[in-house]
Amino acid sequence: TGFPPYTASHRNSGNQSVACAVCHKVDAPEGPGPDLNAPSCFSPSFNSVTCHSGGPGAANHSVPNLDPTHLTAIDFGNCSTCHSDTGTSPVSAAPNCVSCHTNYASSNPLTTKNCTSCHGDPPTGTSTYPNIEGGHAEHNALPEVAGVCSACHNGLDPGTGASAQLAHYTVAKSKTSPGDVSILATYNAKNTTASFGSLSCSNVSCHGGQTINWTSSINVNTDAGCNQCHRRRSVSDQCNSPFSVEHGRSQHVNAGCTACHNTTKLADPAAGRHFLALSTTAMEVRGSVTIGGGTTDVVTYNPGGSVGTGSCTPQSGVGCHGTQSW
């Protein structure tokens, strides 16, 4: 009429298989046990009886099962009843370890109990989810983004609690396009919502609202690299796109960004502060302080105190102009 109450000995991991096997089929393949009316542990509805609907072999079996059986090597024998390290598992519905722990060979989850059993930190692989590097290394080298996975994977920080970890794994294992990317609203471009799809970021403030392929690279020391995030416009369509009549002059457009803007100054934290304030949309530093010197076409540039009060002196022979105000 009812299932006998559990006792400590039944639930102890060292005795559970012995205790259950008095009535149930506790090893693969699924089938009847000593008691023909007792459901098999490997079937959610053997003999039309459902007990462990979320147990071994069932479609809704929790992956991973965040209990000592899953997390400690001493109990790993219980997992191997259903799962194999690699290859085909004893129970067909049970995935092998490497299907989730993609770094299993070099980072066994029983000894390395952190993110790296599934992916690098940040991901370091080539084409296997969830360890696809893409632009992870480049983003992780930037201030405010380094080590902050939630900037692009909003709400998926596994944290330290079992429920938070299970939520992380449940979403990650779905592998649905566009994966588990959910960009923080902090990084929305002007009047648009940041998104990710088809391996590309769109409407992200850091990239000036332009669509950038996740696997592409940007050389920030070239005019082509500048144009992947900045656009010359006569109106302010994005927060990081320069807009003025001077930027729109054909001779400036034809010369390119690096003809005037010194990438060495851009990279100097004390001057250009390039990439140092990605989580804000405001331009904290005037771009004019990065003009001139180095390999640019500008000999001297005085930004002045306000718009229209600066002056630019190009190198002679560059086909530009003499000293003019900006």
Side-chain angles (χ1 to χ4, degrees), residues 286-311:
R286 291 173 60 185
S288 56
V289 302
T290 68
I291 296 177
T295 59
T296 68
D297 294 339
V298 179
V299 177
T300 58
Y301 183 83
N302 176 15
S306 60
V307 175
T309 62
S311 62

Side-chain angles (χ1 to χ4, degrees), residues 39-276:
S40 167
C41 293
F42 294 91
S43 174
S45 58
F46 184 75
N47 283 357
S48 300
V49 177
T50 300
C51 291
H52 300 290
S53 60
N60 60 340
H61 178 46
S62 176
V63 180
N65 188 6
L66 296 176
D67 60 18
T69 298
H70 192 97
L71 297 177
T72 61
I74 193 171
D75 288 329
F76 188 63
N78 293 322
C79 296
S80 61
T81 305
C82 298
H83 303 269
S84 67
D85 293 6
T86 60
T88 303
S89 295
V91 175
S92 59
N96 60 30
C97 296
V98 296
S99 65
C100 294
H101 299 280
T102 57
N103 277 0
Y104 186 89
S106 60
S107 186
N108 190 307
L110 299 176
T111 55
T112 308
K113 302 171 187 176
N114 56 37
C115 308
T116 59
S117 71
C118 296
H119 48 71
D121 186 16
T124 55
T126 54
S127 60
T128 303
Y129 179 95
N131 194 36
I132 301 174
E133 179 180 0
H136 278 107
E138 291 78 4
H139 285 78
N140 201 53
L142 301 174
E144 296 187 349
V145 181
V148 185
C149 304
S150 58
C152 297
H153 301 279
N154 183 24
L156 286 174
D157 186 343
T160 57
S163 60
Q165 292 175 0
L166 184 57
H168 172 83
Y169 300 133
T170 300
V171 173
K173 72 171 182 172
S174 65
K175 305 182 183 180
T176 56
S177 181
D180 54 8
V181 176
S182 179
I183 303 172
L184 281 176
T186 302
Y187 299 95
N188 288 346
K190 190 174 183 179
N191 301 320
T192 54
T193 301
S195 62
F196 182 85
S198 301
L199 293 181
S200 295
C201 294
S202 302
N203 302 321
V204 180
S205 60
C206 311
H207 295 288
Q210 302 190 72
T211 299
I212 304 293
N213 186 277
W214 175 247
T215 59
S216 65
S217 60
I218 300 176
N219 187 342
V220 297
N221 294 312
T222 65
D223 183 62
C226 296
N227 286 313
Q228 286 185 262
C229 295
H230 303 278
R231 292 179 287 190
R232 287 180 285 265
R233 291 289 186 270
S234 58
V235 294
S236 177
D237 69 333
Q238 291 298 332
C239 300
N240 70 339
S241 293
F243 61 100
S244 72
V245 175
E246 302 299 339
H247 273 111
R249 289 175 59 170
S250 59
Q251 57 198 141
H252 289 158
V253 172
N254 293 335
C257 304
T258 55
C260 298
H261 292 279
N262 188 334
T263 56
T264 300
K265 291 182 179 180
L266 275 170
D268 183 356
R273 297 182 63 189
H274 209 198
F275 304 126
L276 291 186

